[in-house]
Amino acid sequence: MAPRQRLAAYAGVARVQLRTQLVYRGDFLFRLLGLLVNIYMLRLVWDAVYPASGTATGNGGHRIALATQIAYVTLALVQNWLLNSGGMGFIPQRVREGTVAVDLARPVRFPSQMVWAQAGAVAAQLPFTVVALPFALLVGGARPPASVGAAFGYLLSLLPAVLISLLLTTLVQMVAFWTLETSGIFVIHRFVQQFLAGALVPLWFMPGWLRVLAEWMPFQATTYAPVAVYLGQAGVWATLGVQLLWCAVLLMLLRLMWWRALRRVVVQGG
């Protein structure tokens, strides 16, 4: 298949999933309401625990103002919600129902199909996110980017952040080829992902050993890194370098895991 045809096929997969997700608009609205409540509650918590001076000392001696912290929490939660709105049921459902056989018969690779399908699901959330963002900023806290360069760097860093998030989700879902009971694994992944991504607590407030651990994990490249660039707390090019490195590593891991999973499917089918 020619590259143009392959790209058209992947775009078609994303389009189908986008339309499928838009059928459940009511569900999205309730989830957005939950997101806004989460943002508001976290703002109350940070307002209560912050020093009366309005600034706190982060890891490494950096002074973090309350306004910066509130802006971080608001943007990080919205961004994390958007990037992880594709769901975790694509591959388990196909394995459980046997429709994975149809996916394997297509002239494009199965992992790529799943990544593009989840990309379509994420794209379906964009209109709802745009509508809800002003309310999120109202109950949370709005703050312009640190500079024009920071705004450009933030937009640039979102591209690899989306890819890393999609690859991580696909990798975790691959466990469905080894076990049909995946709910426990997905719950653990959701907790670890949200915490180490810095969606609840930014890395600059984590203990030294925990921050080092988080910095060596790919999760922070999806949420903390872009938001830190936006607020001027991280360099653009260093962030992009780490993100691109994780993109390459996760792509190789996904290819290796699919190579093993494909042989697992042959064993089950035989």
Side-chain angles (χ1 to χ4, degrees), residues 45-58 62-67 69 205:
V45 170
W46 286 110
D47 281 336
V49 303
Y50 239 70
S53 62
T55 59
T57 304
H62 299 293
R63 302 293 293 177
I64 306 298
L66 176 59
Q69 174 63 21
F205 279 145

Side-chain angles (χ1 to χ4, degrees), residues 8-18 106 108 112-114 116-117 120:
Y10 291 142
V13 171
R15 232 178 358 256
V16 169
Q17 193 54 234
L18 186 152
R106 294 178 180 142
V108 289
S112 300
Q113 292 181 55
M114 296 301 100
W116 278 85

Side-chain angles (χ1 to χ4, degrees), residues 87-92 169 171-176 181-192:
M88 299 291 291
F90 290 99
I91 297 177
T169 303
L171 273 168
V172 175
Q173 290 185 77
M174 282 288 186
V175 300
E181 182 50 57
T182 56
S183 57
I185 297 173
F186 291 166
V187 169
I188 294 173
H189 169 262
R190 179 174 177 79
F191 171 76
V192 172

Side-chain angles (χ1 to χ4, degrees), residues 83-124:
L83 295 185
N84 293 280
S85 57
M88 299 291 291
F90 290 99
I91 297 177
Q93 181 180 359
R94 282 164 167 76
V95 174
R96 186 168 53 251
E97 297 176 352
T99 53
V100 65
V102 178
D103 298 322
L104 293 174
R106 294 178 180 142
V108 289
R109 294 179 177 176
F110 176 78
S112 300
Q113 292 181 55
M114 296 301 100
V115 170
W116 278 85
Q118 291 173 101
V122 171

Side-chain angles (χ1 to χ4, degrees), residues 24-72:
Y24 305 101
R25 293 185 291 270
D27 177 59
F28 295 154
L29 293 177
F30 279 110
R31 288 168 56 196
L32 277 174
L33 178 61
L35 173 67
L36 297 180
V37 172
N38 195 359
I39 291 173
Y40 179 67
M41 295 302 293
L42 279 178
R43 176 170 187 171
L44 293 181
V45 170
W46 286 110
D47 281 336
V49 303
Y50 239 70
S53 62
T55 59
T57 304
N59 197 344
H62 299 293
R63 302 293 293 177
I64 306 298
L66 176 59
T68 300
Q69 174 63 21
I70 297 300
Y72 173 90

Side-chain angles (χ1 to χ4, degrees), residues 143-185:
R143 178 176 175 175
S147 64
V148 176
F152 176 75
Y154 171 71
L155 295 176
L156 198 60
S157 65
L158 280 180
L159 297 177
V162 171
L163 180 56
I164 292 171
S165 179
L166 295 176
L167 291 172
L168 283 170
T169 303
T170 305
L171 273 168
V172 175
Q173 290 185 77
M174 282 288 186
V175 300
F177 286 103
W178 283 267
T179 174
L180 294 179
E181 182 50 57
T182 56
S183 57
I185 297 173

